[in-house]
Amino acid sequence: MKKLIAGFLLVISSVILSGSVQSSLAQQAIKAVSAQALEKLSVDTPKTTVLGNAFIAPKDWSIRVKGPATILEAPEEDSWVALVDVQAKGPDEALAAAWQAYKPDAKWPVKVSNDLSDRDGWSKRRAYEYQTSPNEKRGVAAILLYSGSSWTVVIEDLADAVAGKRGAQVALIYSRLLSKGYSRESFAGKKANTLDRARIAELGRFVEQGQKVLGVPGVSLGLVQDGKVVFADGFGVKELGGTTKPDGDTLFMIASNTKAMTTLLLAKLVDEHRITWDMPVTKLLPSFKLGDAETTRSVLVKHLICACTGMPRQDLEWIFNYGGMTPKSTLALLGSMQSTSKFGELFQYSNLMAAAAGYTAAYVIHPDLELGAAYDSSMQSYVFDPLQMKETTFDFKRAFSSNHAGSHSPSVDGKPAKAMTAINDAVIPARPAGGAWSSVRDMLKYVSMELADGKLPDGTTYISKGPLLERRAPQVSIGKDTTYGMGLMVDTTYGIPVVHHGGDLIGYHSDMIWLPEQNVGAVVLTNGDPGWILRDRIRRELLEVLFDGHPEAEALLNSDAKSFYSSLQAERKLMTIPADAGESAKLAKHYTNTSLGEINVSTSGAATIFDFGEWKSEVASRKNPDGTISFITTVPGEMGFEFVVGSGAKRTLTMRDAQHEYVYEEH
């Protein structure tokens, strides 16, 4: 299902104008602003909207003012973010006025709209997503914010490629979008509360509320403070239809939380003086090769997992064609990758580069072993054994035969269902990027080591502080207040550093969190989609509990849940299930693409089935606004992969991610 920039709608603000006098002044201010020429920005630049609401305009973007609209244009010149200050009686009138000021001839229909909770001083927040046709390769959304007597409407009108490439710059705009005179809550200099029974109970209540509204069957939570585990247990059930709850030892897939452990392996080699962070990767792993020779030579060890090399996300090859993949062939996929931004310029997340990080370390340690075996052995001896992470494993069979949580995802009709787990096997050949299984007890041992600056519980040094902490050093920015290091993020939104990293696979969503200055850490593991909402919001809830912060996490979680399910319902209304028989009859029986493999099309009763070899799904059909037809997978967990029927003489299906296009041809 097409995900716009919704993850970046981090809108923040407060109350400004109030009363009729201020309203009149606002109208005068808007009328006084005339259209300006484009101003290109050479650095990230603090700016204000027409009525003085603060934001940051990204480097290399252009900015101009057109009446009440402050319009930001991406360097590609085909994508815009407009911030429009308007006076209106209500949200519908405000939205119409904003579009009239920005792009009066726009015709996209609203697909879904959702009320959002009040936040950071903004009230009456409401988000809109518009229906575009897939061949437009474009996402359009709006968010309304109210403060005092004025509305600020933010309109996103972004090409998919720009959204995928410049998402962090869009986040920059939102991350400091503050109403005039507003100051965000800060916990800097405050002493953290003790996680006593009452505060632990509050965190548990928050988790259970999250389960209820999100439809996540089970969650395990772990908490550590001042070197002591104060909670490690679970809520809900491990499996739909079962009665056994998860506990502190239940295994979940931790997905991209594996990345930080992979960089810990690299840090151990730095600590042993076997490698340096600034060493060219080709000197360590001769087979390492990207699509461009100069870029290949330029990649240093620290770049492998920094999301800073300009390599775009390119996951579909190993999601759709993983049956015969090995670590060696996974690395070979890097040879097809071309950077779309400069080193250190933009945050672009790459699982394949992260996989190369782990296999580089493995090759240094065990050059004579197959790469997968070398990595598994290295992680066991260098990370899991010393930290006493006795249950953590890359062995799926071992995980499934032990105390583990099953994966779940809503059905196409929004009902809780067991997710298709086969596709999670796709991560096995790329496992340094996200293939580990772990429990909250094991992960708390890892978090405790991070909080202790590399020391083990008995006081011995596991790793020197320098190589350990270098993994947190900023390599690239995500918005204003978050930076990405090497498999770790550092977030200072509320005045204190919060180190964390999330993990997402089908039916499994997790986060590990620690506050270095307060010596507090947490781990949350979930076994259902949309567990990422709980994973994200519990970070705010933890801060509220630790610092008696303004209560907003629960309201945010509840509105996020409503938004998720209303978006799901809106998508469902556009689909025909079973797929339209007339449109299905026009499909070829077999399609092939050199990168993604094959699709075999069949029917089962009234259902149309797309079989990709490694997995299959019934598909829905949808008629798009431009008259084209899409077929969309509906299996729980892998719902939303879209294939657009071609209009040429030869039958084709086109699939896209943000920056790539794959055409399947009749075979």
Side-chain angles (χ1 to χ4, degrees):
M1 208 166 289
K2 189 173 183 180
K3 291 182 180 178
L4 205 51
I5 303 291
F8 290 116
L9 292 178
L10 309 174
V11 224
I12 32 185
S13 263
S14 182
V15 177
I16 48 171
L17 307 171
S18 61
S20 60
V21 174
Q22 288 92 335
S23 176
S24 177
L25 290 173
Q27 295 281 17
Q28 292 174 31
I30 291 172
K31 291 177 181 178
V33 179
S34 59
Q36 297 177 354
L38 282 173
E39 172 195 358
K40 187 170 182 179
L41 304 170
S42 58
V43 295
D44 294 341
T45 306
K47 292 284 186 178
T48 60
T49 66
V50 169
L51 291 182
N53 302 309
F55 68 95
I56 299 174
K59 177 181 181 291
D60 297 328
W61 287 52
S62 298
I63 186 171
R64 67 186 174 99
V65 176
K66 176 187 172 187
T70 303
I71 302 173
L72 296 161
E73 181 177 79
E76 291 78 6
E77 299 182 353
D78 64 351
S79 298
W80 301 269
V81 176
L83 299 93
V84 191
D85 293 324
V86 297
Q87 300 289 309
K89 295 179 181 178
D92 292 339
E93 184 178 314
L95 184 65
W99 276 107
Q100 183 64 32
Y102 163 62
K103 186 178 281 190
D105 58 346
K107 301 297 183 184
W108 294 293
V110 172
K111 181 166 67 174
V112 63
S113 62
N114 298 289
D115 289 325
L116 305 176
S117 65
D118 294 352
R119 186 177 187 185
D120 292 339
W122 292 114
S123 62
K124 304 179 185 179
R125 298 196 311 141
R126 187 167 181 82
Y128 294 78
E129 185 178 348
Y130 293 83
Q131 185 184 1
T132 59
S133 294
N135 287 340
E136 292 181 79
K137 306 177 191 178
R138 186 165 215 82
V140 182
I143 187 163
L144 273 67
L145 311 165
Y146 187 78
S147 179
S149 63
S150 304
W151 295 88
T152 296
V153 182
V154 185
I155 297 172
E156 295 180 17
D157 179 7
L158 302 171
D160 290 342
V162 172
K165 174 181 174 181
R166 298 188 180 275
Q169 290 188 315
V170 177
L172 176 67
I173 298 168
Y174 283 107
S175 63
R176 290 291 180 91
L177 178 56
L178 303 172
S179 63
K180 189 176 181 180
Y182 178 77
S183 295
R184 179 185 288 153
E185 181 178 37
S186 174
F187 304 124
K190 293 187 177 181
K191 186 179 185 300
N193 294 319
T194 299
L195 289 174
D196 57 18
R197 182 177 297 179
R199 290 188 173 89
I200 292 170
E202 166 57 23
L203 287 166
R205 186 203 61 78
F206 181 83
V207 167
E208 290 186 298
Q209 171 67 8
Q211 279 184 269
K212 177 181 177 181
V213 299
L214 294 171
V216 173
V219 181
S220 284
L221 175 69
L223 302 166
V224 61
Q225 185 171 40
D226 297 328
K228 180 182 177 182
V229 174
V230 297
F231 186 84
D233 206 350
F235 307 86
V237 293
K238 293 194 291 185
E239 194 90 38
L240 274 178
T243 57
T244 307
K245 77 176 185 69
D247 57 30
D249 297 310
T250 300
L251 292 177
F252 297 72
M253 289 202 76
I254 62 169
S256 287
N257 286 296
T258 310
K259 289 180 172 70
M261 298 176 192
T262 291
T263 63
L264 180 60
L265 174 63
L266 286 166
K268 286 287 289 180
L269 295 180
V270 172
D271 200 25
E272 292 178 354
H273 305 290
R274 299 178 69 176
I275 66 172
T276 69
W277 294 119
D278 294 320
M279 187 174 288
V281 175
T282 52
K283 288 190 175 182
L284 301 173
L285 184 65
S287 62
F288 177 76
K289 182 182 178 182
L290 299 172
D292 176 77
E294 182 179 350
T295 307
T296 301
R297 289 190 296 269
S298 301
V299 175
L300 309 179
V301 171
K302 66 183 179 183
H303 295 142
L304 286 170
I305 202 162
C306 69
C308 67
T309 60
M311 292 296 165
R313 193 159 193 146
Q314 192 169 323
D315 292 340
L316 294 182
E317 282 94 333
W318 55 276
I319 289 177
F320 277 87
N321 201 18
Y322 64 85
M325 293 287 289
T326 65
K328 184 178 179 180
S329 61
T330 298
L331 285 181
L333 284 176
L334 292 169
S336 68
M337 293 180 67
Q338 297 283 348
S339 58
T340 58
S341 58
K342 299 175 183 177
F343 271 52
E345 181 183 32
L346 298 172
F347 172 81
Q348 295 208 66
Y349 194 79
S350 172
N351 283 306
L352 291 175
M353 289 289 282
Y359 292 138
T360 298
Y363 186 79
V364 170
I365 297 168
H366 297 296
D368 297 327
L369 290 181
E370 182 270 331
L371 283 173
Y375 175 75
D376 295 347
S377 175
S378 299
M379 288 293 289
Q380 193 68 45
S381 59
Y382 274 76
V383 178
F384 301 153
D385 286 346
L387 297 182
Q388 293 295 295
M389 298 173 70
K390 295 181 179 179
E391 302 303 321
T392 304
T393 183
F394 294 104
D395 187 335
F396 278 45
K397 290 182 179 179
R398 174 185 160 190
F400 283 128
S401 65
S402 62
N403 173 10
H404 77 284
S407 65
H408 305 85
S409 189
S411 70
V412 71
D413 294 311
K415 305 298 183 184
K418 293 183 179 180
M420 183 186 64
T421 59
I423 201 167
N424 283 338
D425 292 350
V427 80
I428 295 174
R431 53 191 174 276
W437 292 78
S438 193
S439 66
V440 294
R441 286 194 191 278
D442 267 14
M443 291 190 69
L444 285 175
K445 293 172 183 176
Y446 165 80
V447 169
S448 296
M449 181 277 300
E450 291 273 10
L451 285 168
D453 289 338
K455 293 189 181 299
L456 298 176
D458 63 4
T460 59
T461 298
Y462 162 67
I463 186 173
S464 300
K465 185 175 179 179
L468 180 77
L469 298 189
E470 283 179 85
R471 298 156 53 249
R472 305 178 199 172
Q475 298 291 332
V476 69
S477 295
I478 311 172
K480 177 62 178 174
D481 303 301
T482 303
T483 58
Y484 200 86
M486 288 182 266
L488 291 170
M489 298 181 185
V490 180
D491 186 343
T492 57
T493 299
Y494 298 104
I496 57 172
V498 178
V499 186
H500 77 99
H501 202 288
D504 301 287
L505 278 170
I506 306 306
Y508 296 105
H509 305 277
S510 58
D511 210 340
M512 54 183 183
I513 311 155
W514 63 93
L515 284 62
E517 295 176 355
Q518 286 75 27
N519 203 14
V520 173
V523 173
V524 59
L525 307 176
T526 76
N527 72 344
D529 303 327
W532 64 84
I533 295 174
L534 179 60
R535 185 267 322 271
D536 288 348
R537 294 309 182 196
I538 201 169
R539 292 199 300 273
R540 171 65 197 184
E541 172 71 6
L542 179 64
L543 295 180
E544 292 174 15
V545 168
L546 287 172
F547 299 105
D548 298 321
H550 176 73
E552 63 179 44
E554 186 167 352
L556 288 168
L557 184 146
N558 289 338
S559 67
D560 287 347
K562 289 179 181 177
S563 294
F564 173 83
Y565 281 102
S566 62
S567 294
L568 197 65
Q569 291 168 5
E571 291 279 359
R572 176 64 183 88
K573 289 178 181 178
L574 297 172
M575 297 178 185
T576 299
I577 304 176
D580 182 274
E583 297 298 340
S584 294
K586 299 175 186 177
L587 293 169
K589 296 299 182 185
H590 306 283
Y591 293 88
T592 185
N593 176 272
T594 54
S595 297
L596 303 189
E598 297 183 351
I599 302 176
N600 290 312
V601 180
S602 62
T603 57
S604 177
T608 301
I609 310 296
F610 278 18
D611 188 335
F612 307 103
E614 289 78 15
W615 60 282
K616 62 184 177 181
S617 173
E618 180 180 356
V619 292
S621 60
R622 185 186 69 212
K623 187 173 183 179
N624 301 309
D626 64 358
T628 58
I629 300 297
S630 293
F631 287 91
I632 303 158
T633 57
T634 61
V635 65
E638 284 308 313
M639 183 168 56
F641 282 119
E642 182 173 2
F643 302 83
V644 185
V645 177
S647 58
K650 191 169 185 178
R651 288 186 283 192
T652 63
L653 294 171
T654 297
M655 186 181 189
R656 302 178 177 101
D657 65 15
Q659 298 185 66
H660 303 93
E661 182 170 282
Y662 304 90
V663 179
Y664 286 87
E665 295 185 344
E666 181 179 0
H667 179 67

